[in-house]
Amino acid sequence: ALQKDGTVIVWGSNTYGQRDDIPDGLNNVVAIAAGEYHSMALQKDGTVVIWGSNNEGQRDDIPAGLNNVVAISAGGFHSMALQNDGTVRVWGSNSHGQRDDIPADLNNVVAIAAGGFHSMALKKDGTVVVWGSNDDDQRDDIPAGLNNVVAIAAGGAHSMALKNDGTVRVWGSNTYG
């Protein structure tokens, strides 16, 4: 939970320190994200702080030059950041290309979402780009004509988009409805 004063409170599993290993002095937090076994915080100055599991480099492999971050997202075993120039940075697990398969022409990004093993970006023009795992069609099954998107979310094996008319489109795994 992100409190009004910019501090963070974490509860639940602590197997990898995702609850009790909050870095000392963590404050001025403006956004938080929780992955499978790691936690992230975005501070007011645009820096990212991560604690918990580092089994896939999701904590310690922060890309050099990562600054001016405006949004963060934590996937199963990877971490994402959106910089104020619309650049997406991904680190941690690359088991399904969620880190290294970022489309070369990806720019003008306004939002990001990290799923279990896939990554998503919402572009300024209202279109969605997905890369990484496609085991459950969370990448290739983007609904035809999907545009005018204003928000995105990624689950373990499914993807979601909220359109400007208030409708929601979902694709990928439907194992649990």
Side-chain angles (χ1 to χ4, degrees), residues 86-141:
T87 302
V88 176
R89 306 292 295 272
V90 185
W91 63 99
S93 177
N94 193 44
S95 61
H96 291 81
Q98 65 270 41
R99 182 188 72 214
D100 290 345
D101 290 346
I102 298 174
D105 62 346
L106 185 63
N107 55 32
N108 295 316
V109 174
V110 296
I112 54 174
F117 297 99
H118 68 290
S119 302
M120 300 177 67
L122 172 59
K123 296 182 71 168
K124 185 185 265 185
D125 65 2
T127 60
V128 176
V129 179
V130 184
W131 65 97
S133 178
N134 196 44
D135 293 344
D136 292 290
D137 294 324
Q138 63 271 45
R139 185 184 72 220
D140 288 346
D141 211 15

Side-chain angles (χ1 to χ4, degrees), residues 1 5 21 27 30 34 42 45 75 78 87 93 100 127 135 148 152 156 159 172 174 177:
D5 67 358
D21 290 345
N27 57 28
V30 296
L42 173 59
D45 65 0
H78 67 291
T87 302
S93 177
D100 290 345
T127 60
D135 293 344
N148 298 318
I152 56 174
S159 305
N174 193 37

Side-chain angles (χ1 to χ4, degrees), residues 4 52 72 94 132 150:
K4 189 186 278 188
I72 55 174
N94 193 44
V150 296

Side-chain angles (χ1 to χ4, degrees), residues 35-65:
E36 187 77 20
Y37 299 113
H38 69 290
S39 303
M40 300 177 69
L42 173 59
Q43 294 183 295
K44 188 183 228 179
D45 65 0
T47 59
V48 177
V49 178
I50 304 172
W51 63 99
S53 177
N54 193 44
N55 291 344
E56 300 284 337
Q58 64 270 42
R59 185 184 71 216
D60 290 343
D61 290 343
I62 297 174

Side-chain angles (χ1 to χ4, degrees), residues 69-91:
V69 174
V70 295
I72 55 174
S73 188
F77 301 94
H78 67 291
S79 303
M80 296 180 72
L82 174 61
Q83 294 179 280
N84 65 356
D85 65 356
T87 302
V88 176
R89 306 292 295 272
V90 185
W91 63 99

